[in-house]
Amino acid sequence: MTKGKITGIIANLVIVEADGPVQQNEICYIQDGKSSLMSEVIKMLGTTAYIQVFESTRGLKIGTEVEFRGHMLEVNLGPGILSKNYDGLQNNLDTLEGIFLKRGEQSEALDSDKKWEFKPIAKKGDVVTAGDWLGEVTENWLPHKIMVPFKFEGQFKVKSVAKESSYTIKDTIATLTDEDDNEREVTMVQKWPVKLAITAFKEKPRPFKLLETGIRTIDTLNPMAEGGTGFIPGPFGSGKTVLQHALSKQAEADMIIHAACGERANEVVEVFTEFPELEDPRTGRKLMERTTIIANTSNMPVAAREASVYTAMTIAEYYRAMGLKVLLLADSTSRWAQALREMSNRMEELPGPDAFPMDLSAIIANFYSRAGYVYLNNGKTGSVTFIGTVSPAGGNLKEPVTESTKKAARCFYALSQDRADSKRYPAVDPIDSYSKYLEYPELENYLKEKIDDSWTQHIQLLKNILLRGREASEQINILGDDGVPVDYHIRFWKSEVIDFVILQQDAFDKIDQSSSIERQKYMLEKVLKVYHTEFSFEHFEEVNEYFKRVIDQMRQMNYSEFESDKFKQYEKELEKLIEERKAE
Ligand code: ADP
């Protein structure tokens, strides 16, 4: 084992002279006699290792011994990850006193005493490769596949698989033989280095399926694709948390991973207290049963923040390999980038814009590219959909982290302060936001088949109406209500119908909070019907008054069970209202 001695300490960056070979990203431990501090090699220059310490380096002395472990930062992958609260180094925060680790303290990621009911999938004689399914256990209520470890290279023959019974994660559940007839034993737990993507799949096509979220401003206007990527920049109080909760509860995902990265400590405490309270609309049970939280707060050393996003992504890829749909939410990736900046500055590297590392864009792009929709070796599919939030200082969307994220992510959900101030929730700005998946012919075809032949044209029209409505509203503001033709008012109010009926959605109403795609289609057709109707009005005040009534009827529809008697009643009244004012 390579060892070394500390020759320099700059906050969490420690410089070590090594006595043997050391790899980039290798894990090492500083042994100061009392505790063992976990660290990662972030740069090698000859025999000098620059290591980032995942703990406070307070009291550390020059000359202290360091042991290198010969592997990178790894996570334990196996049953028992669901419902856990981990930190970035996969310490189980629930088994610790208080939610913060003491220095040098570590905890077991997975319970090694718990017994799991194992059912074999593979049979003796099967030829398998990394990621292939050997058996299954039930984790909470999700099927959890036990796979050929991702580190196994080449082909293996199944020599034996354990029979149906209960086992711990340490028991051998299969024996495989490699091409040279060497035997390899497989348990239910395997390790994987977090900085490397898990690629045990056959193919990763561009995302082409709609990921329904039930949130109209996303699904109808700027759809997310299954296995796609998106980001949400949002000022405080703009509804970021409510939006993330809505996505977690409603998006078509089997499993949710929430990486809470280095926001203020009290916010992370909020994640721990609020998330477990959320109800799962699909099962009526707690959402936490299919959620894992990975949390780091800003009072933990910067290096630990970086680890948390990678740990979260690796766990997401692990569940994807089981054929599941995973939704990964990371809040906020800006804190992660700040951690990169601090380390880069301490190493006195040549700085890029705003002193972020020169390769910030590449690091972010690499990370986002680990999301995706995959075909597994057995023909089944799985996905990791990734939505990150950024917290640009002062709402400046031109700063490097937001800019780099913009290049990497395909969807952009801009939370607007103005909309939040006027309580137009969710405060996603319909004009600044976008989904590049709408430009993918694959997704367009999918939407055509699933929803409607002219769905994408309808979306385009909707966006145009909103844009023209905004222009009309600006004109009205400048010239005064009386200073513009009545037509301007009509144009403005037609866009308001879309705003109130499609864009706005009450996250706290049991019915309105989630809208099926059939319902979204139905309501879109309704608002377009209003749009295409020619109305006649004498005076702008009539316009305002009339459209407020239209909006009210349609909102009542939104608050009623789809196609219920109540819903139909409001619809009937709406139709009457439209007839009333229709131009001859
Ligand atoms: P942030 O996390 O950005 O600071 P929150 O998500 O806590 O903001 O939202 C602030 C407040 O905005 C919430 O307490 C809630 O009252 C309101 N809000 C946000 N989104 C919605 C929504 N979709 N429906 C109703 N109210 C909302």
Side-chain angles (χ1 to χ4, degrees), residues 289-304:
E289 290 180 20
R290 54 183 178 98
T291 302
T292 300
I293 296 176
I294 319 275
N296 279 132
T297 61
S298 47
N299 61 1
M300 293 176 172
V302 288

mmCIF file of all heavy atoms in Angstrom, residues 289-304:
data_model
loop_
_atom_site.group_PDB
_atom_site.id
_atom_site.type_symbol
_atom_site.label_atom_id
_atom_site.label_comp_id
_atom_site.label_asym_id
_atom_site.label_seq_id
_atom_site.Cartn_x
_atom_site.Cartn_y
_atom_site.Cartn_z
ATOM 1 N N GLU A 289 -40.850 6.126 0.498
ATOM 2 C CA GLU A 289 -40.645 4.693 0.266
ATOM 3 C C GLU A 289 -39.953 4.424 -1.065
ATOM 4 O O GLU A 289 -39.389 3.362 -1.272
ATOM 5 C CB GLU A 289 -41.991 3.954 0.298
ATOM 6 C CG GLU A 289 -42.564 3.904 1.691
ATOM 7 C CD GLU A 289 -43.895 3.168 1.753
ATOM 8 O OE1 GLU A 289 -44.212 2.392 0.839
ATOM 9 O OE2 GLU A 289 -44.619 3.398 2.736
ATOM 10 N N ARG A 290 -40.072 5.388 -1.981
ATOM 11 C CA ARG A 290 -39.333 5.206 -3.245
ATOM 12 C C ARG A 290 -38.363 6.367 -3.503
ATOM 13 O O ARG A 290 -38.120 6.754 -4.637
ATOM 14 C CB ARG A 290 -40.284 4.972 -4.429
ATOM 15 C CG ARG A 290 -41.346 6.001 -4.624
ATOM 16 C CD ARG A 290 -42.269 5.614 -5.781
ATOM 17 N NE ARG A 290 -43.340 6.582 -5.952
ATOM 18 C CZ ARG A 290 -43.319 7.577 -6.847
ATOM 19 N NH1 ARG A 290 -42.301 7.709 -7.656
ATOM 20 N NH2 ARG A 290 -44.316 8.422 -6.927
ATOM 21 N N THR A 291 -37.856 6.922 -2.425
ATOM 22 C CA THR A 291 -36.939 8.063 -2.527
ATOM 23 C C THR A 291 -35.654 7.796 -1.749
ATOM 24 O O THR A 291 -35.684 7.132 -0.710
ATOM 25 C CB THR A 291 -37.604 9.327 -1.930
ATOM 26 O OG1 THR A 291 -38.822 9.576 -2.613
ATOM 27 C CG2 THR A 291 -36.703 10.546 -2.040
ATOM 28 N N THR A 292 -34.568 8.317 -2.253
ATOM 29 C CA THR A 292 -33.322 8.346 -1.488
ATOM 30 C C THR A 292 -32.839 9.795 -1.471
ATOM 31 O O THR A 292 -32.866 10.459 -2.513
ATOM 32 C CB THR A 292 -32.247 7.453 -2.131
ATOM 33 O OG1 THR A 292 -32.750 6.121 -2.169
ATOM 34 C CG2 THR A 292 -30.945 7.473 -1.357
ATOM 35 N N ILE A 293 -32.436 10.272 -0.313
ATOM 36 C CA ILE A 293 -31.932 11.640 -0.214
ATOM 37 C C ILE A 293 -30.424 11.601 0.030
ATOM 38 O O ILE A 293 -29.940 10.838 0.873
ATOM 39 C CB ILE A 293 -32.627 12.404 0.941
ATOM 40 C CG1 ILE A 293 -34.133 12.558 0.646
ATOM 41 C CG2 ILE A 293 -31.988 13.779 1.157
ATOM 42 C CD1 ILE A 293 -34.924 13.213 1.763
ATOM 43 N N ILE A 294 -29.705 12.394 -0.743
ATOM 44 C CA ILE A 294 -28.268 12.528 -0.528
ATOM 45 C C ILE A 294 -28.057 13.998 -0.171
ATOM 46 O O ILE A 294 -28.374 14.874 -0.971
ATOM 47 C CB ILE A 294 -27.447 12.257 -1.810
ATOM 48 C CG1 ILE A 294 -28.003 11.079 -2.588
ATOM 49 C CG2 ILE A 294 -25.965 12.158 -1.500
ATOM 50 C CD1 ILE A 294 -27.562 9.749 -2.192
ATOM 51 N N ALA A 295 -27.552 14.251 1.000
ATOM 52 C CA ALA A 295 -27.507 15.649 1.420
ATOM 53 C C ALA A 295 -26.144 16.055 1.940
ATOM 54 O O ALA A 295 -25.482 15.320 2.659
ATOM 55 C CB ALA A 295 -28.542 15.887 2.502
ATOM 56 N N ASN A 296 -25.758 17.237 1.536
ATOM 57 C CA ASN A 296 -24.584 17.882 2.115
ATOM 58 C C ASN A 296 -24.957 19.308 2.393
ATOM 59 O O ASN A 296 -25.677 19.920 1.617
ATOM 60 C CB ASN A 296 -23.413 17.873 1.125
ATOM 61 C CG ASN A 296 -22.706 16.550 1.137
ATOM 62 O OD1 ASN A 296 -22.443 15.984 0.108
ATOM 63 N ND2 ASN A 296 -22.421 16.047 2.308
ATOM 64 N N THR A 297 -24.494 19.822 3.463
ATOM 65 C CA THR A 297 -24.805 21.216 3.746
ATOM 66 C C THR A 297 -23.528 22.022 3.611
ATOM 67 O O THR A 297 -22.437 21.468 3.557
ATOM 68 C CB THR A 297 -25.327 21.375 5.177
ATOM 69 O OG1 THR A 297 -24.315 20.940 6.056
ATOM 70 C CG2 THR A 297 -26.579 20.583 5.368
ATOM 71 N N SER A 298 -23.691 23.324 3.580
ATOM 72 C CA SER A 298 -22.509 24.148 3.362
ATOM 73 C C SER A 298 -21.618 24.190 4.605
ATOM 74 O O SER A 298 -20.512 24.693 4.534
ATOM 75 C CB SER A 298 -22.922 25.552 2.930
ATOM 76 O OG SER A 298 -23.924 26.011 3.780
ATOM 77 N N ASN A 299 -22.092 23.663 5.737
ATOM 78 C CA ASN A 299 -21.158 23.605 6.863
ATOM 79 C C ASN A 299 -20.277 22.358 6.806
ATOM 80 O O ASN A 299 -19.425 22.145 7.635
ATOM 81 C CB ASN A 299 -21.872 23.738 8.217
ATOM 82 C CG ASN A 299 -22.864 22.629 8.450
ATOM 83 O OD1 ASN A 299 -23.016 21.749 7.608
ATOM 84 N ND2 ASN A 299 -23.527 22.661 9.583
ATOM 85 N N MET A 300 -20.520 21.510 5.792
ATOM 86 C CA MET A 300 -19.586 20.409 5.553
ATOM 87 C C MET A 300 -18.526 20.936 4.590
ATOM 88 O O MET A 300 -18.797 21.838 3.813
ATOM 89 C CB MET A 300 -20.308 19.236 4.896
ATOM 90 C CG MET A 300 -21.335 18.581 5.799
ATOM 91 S SD MET A 300 -22.180 17.294 4.876
ATOM 92 C CE MET A 300 -23.128 16.538 6.174
ATOM 93 N N PRO A 301 -17.325 20.364 4.615
ATOM 94 C CA PRO A 301 -16.284 20.856 3.717
ATOM 95 C C PRO A 301 -16.703 20.775 2.254
ATOM 96 O O PRO A 301 -17.492 19.912 1.886
ATOM 97 C CB PRO A 301 -15.117 19.908 3.989
ATOM 98 C CG PRO A 301 -15.398 19.311 5.297
ATOM 99 C CD PRO A 301 -16.861 19.278 5.467
ATOM 100 N N VAL A 302 -16.184 21.703 1.477
ATOM 101 C CA VAL A 302 -16.595 21.810 0.084
ATOM 102 C C VAL A 302 -16.469 20.506 -0.687
ATOM 103 O O VAL A 302 -17.317 20.186 -1.509
ATOM 104 C CB VAL A 302 -15.815 22.921 -0.660
ATOM 105 C CG1 VAL A 302 -16.274 24.274 -0.194
ATOM 106 C CG2 VAL A 302 -14.331 22.749 -0.508
ATOM 107 N N ALA A 303 -15.425 19.741 -0.405
ATOM 108 C CA ALA A 303 -15.182 18.529 -1.183
ATOM 109 C C ALA A 303 -16.338 17.553 -1.077
ATOM 110 O O ALA A 303 -16.657 16.833 -2.021
ATOM 111 C CB ALA A 303 -13.902 17.862 -0.705
ATOM 112 N N ALA A 304 -16.992 17.532 0.071
ATOM 113 C CA ALA A 304 -18.085 16.588 0.277
ATOM 114 C C ALA A 304 -19.281 16.920 -0.612
ATOM 115 O O ALA A 304 -20.058 16.054 -0.965
ATOM 116 C CB ALA A 304 -18.491 16.588 1.747
#
